Amino acid sequence: MTPADLPTPALVIDADAFERNLATMAAALPGGRLRPHVKAHKCTSIARAQQGVGHDTFTCATPREVVGLARAGVGDDLLLANETVDRGRLRTMAELETAVTVAVDSVETVDAAASAGIHRCLVDVNVGLPRCGVAPEAAGRLADHARHRGLEVRGVMGYEGHLMMVADRSERRERVGASMALLLLAHEQVGGDVVSAGGTGTFDLHEGTGVTEVQAGSYALMDTDYGRQELPFEQALHLVGTVISVGDGWAVADVGLKALGMDHGNPSVVGGIVWFCSDEHLTYQPGEAVQVGERVTVLPAHVDPTVAMHDVAWLVRGGEIVDRWEIDLRGW
Amino acid sequence: MTPADLPTPALVIDADAFERNLATMAAALPGGRLRPHVKAHKCTSIARAQQGVGHDTFTCATPREVVGLARAGVGDDLLLANETVDRGRLRTMAELETAVTVAVDSVETVDAAASAGIHRCLVDVNVGLPRCGVAPEAAGRLADHARHRGLEVRGVMGYEGHLMMVADRSERRERVGASMALLLLAHEQVGGDVVSAGGTGTFDLHEGTGVTEVQAGSYALMDTDYGRQELPFEQALHLVGTVISVGDGWAVADVGLKALGMDHGNPSVVGGIVWFCSDEHLTYQPGEAVQVGERVTVLPAHVDPTVAMHDVAWLVRGGEIVDRWEIDLRGW
């Protein structure tokens, strides 16, 4: 079977590019220096491939991702790099055989974790992105409270998400350094072995900052937004669509916004210029004449939410479909 | 159980508002004058409620929606208001017991439908939105070809999607009239009993235009984008989130962009001002102090893709959860 035989829209992974991305990252951040973020792919098979190149620790954004990985037996150290006070989900995570660590940034999140039987936490520190994370100067006090509640405090985490898309690399490096200084300040008060930070956009900017592990995820598949940066990772994911209509100066493919994360804007179409997306349509201007029934290649602007809209991804090598990977970690 | 007991993010339907929306529309466009579009909710239970107020014909955007409705025994006349040349899916639709009609706008789509055993079509006409649809002057020729291939040509459809958000109502009415004149021009050449058009934004602007049925869907649940128009429908859908972090001037809820269609921009949050969405976070400025663990109400900007990101919606009446509706028509 080839991509031309797939019902569309279909999510397709270029196996060679994907494996090169994994190898490049594993060479830069081997073993536990990378804690791959599974939110970017929500796919146990991809996590297993990441494990195959040496990473046994994983980052998750939802309890569902933690529980799915653990039940599939992938990884031996799973981090929920996000806050939750959902006692049912915390209890489910606490009962897993795999070691689970959760991020905490308040007395409430500490208490919820401790009450549910969770044993390990990282103190989540605000390093400049107005989102989760305790103020650096309050991190030590929160760690004390967590230890008082019986939690092992393994260290700190901080996500410099506001810096992922800073275009100039030297400016990005400088600002990452300033963010990590805040994280290290917190770490001095918190203690523990772990200083966890970063993402694909800053994966190689943590040398000398004291960061012990990087939480990158998008590098495995990539998207057009990260593609504009000078990163050593290739576009390994695309959508295959079918041209369903040809107008006077435009064509329409069946890859609509219900198949694409739209928060970073429109996708790109190979050999054409995108006009707009509707629920089930992509209207674009083709570079040369196309016919109804032709296949079209669409590159998403943002990989994480795009993958989360699909049940399955197809692995392609040398023009042949060689595997079918379930996107099995969707939901919450 | 109440919404406060739900794991979050959770999709919640206000049963009273939903039923008022259905009643208002059924009064304006009773029975077959409305062909409810299920792409807005992808939910058999909602379609069944629409059937309960008198609509037995339905509009679908994907084969999956057609097949799901037919297998659930909902509706007696299902329209795929979209083009496809997927022979497998066309054959599956042709084998259903329910009568299925497909939109066609090219020789290729006619031939694919006829070869797969489909019996009925509407000629899809371009009425001004650069998307699918044959040029009005070419509609008659395509109808001839469809009849030659053995298809019953039931009439025409045309979607004036570019006019749904025209803010001024009299301008909207005038431009709908001009679009429908194109559709009627095509209908004169095509023949058949059906002239199908419209959506929620233009549901009451077709009197005197010759349109026999309106394809509205969003009216049942509504969103903030349609909410800005003077429409007689209420916001019946929201998301319940949980505050998971409180910062210095902001709070974070667990309703991120993987739970929200983002193509119409950010959602709204009741009692606060949205700053930005991340994959699993909504950062907002609360109007008054909030605490971790509090519930928050989020209104999506675009209902259709939002619902498509969830497995289930919870029906609430008088503060109690009275039903759990599967979003069972997702995918393609």
Side-chain angles (χ1 to χ4, degrees), chain B residues 25 34-41 50 199-200 215-222 303-304:
Chain B
M25 182 61 97
L34 183 78
R35 187 184 279 277
H37 209 319
V38 304
K39 84 179 176 82
H41 53 68
Q50 289 170 316
T200 294
Q215 302 176 5
S218 301
Y219 78 96
L221 299 175
M222 290 293 283
V303 59
D304 304 24

Side-chain angles (χ1 to χ4, degrees), chain A residues 26-55:
Chain A
L29 298 172
R33 285 181 58 201
L34 184 78
R35 185 185 281 278
H37 209 319
V38 304
K39 85 181 175 78
H41 53 68
K42 288 183 173 284
C43 173
T44 298
S45 298
I46 293 182
R48 207 171 267 126
Q50 290 171 314
Q51 198 175 33
V53 297
H55 312 297

Side-chain angles (χ1 to χ4, degrees), chain B residues 12-25:
Chain B
V12 170
I13 297 171
D14 176 332
D16 293 335
F18 168 72
E19 288 168 7
R20 283 193 295 269
N21 287 346
L22 262 52
T24 300
M25 182 61 97

Side-chain angles (χ1 to χ4, degrees), chain A residues 46 80 91 137 162 189 204 226 241 284 293 308 318 324-325 327:
Chain A
I46 293 182
L80 179 67
R91 270 196 296 268
E137 60 275 14
H162 56 305
Q189 303 164 47
D204 59 348
Y226 269 128
Y284 73 102
R324 179 185 185 280
W325 284 352
I327 312 299

Side-chain angles (χ1 to χ4, degrees), chain B residues 145-163:
Chain B
H145 178 68
R147 292 195 174 99
H148 176 72
R149 287 298 313 257
L151 288 169
E152 178 195 345
V153 180
R154 297 183 63 194
V156 295
M157 65 160 270
Y159 178 55
E160 70 278 19
H162 56 306
L163 305 181

Side-chain angles (χ1 to χ4, degrees), chain B residues 201-217:
Chain B
T202 63
F203 85 101
D204 59 347
L205 301 178
H206 296 95
E207 320 91 81
T209 63
V211 166
T212 63
E213 60 177 43
V214 173
Q215 302 176 5

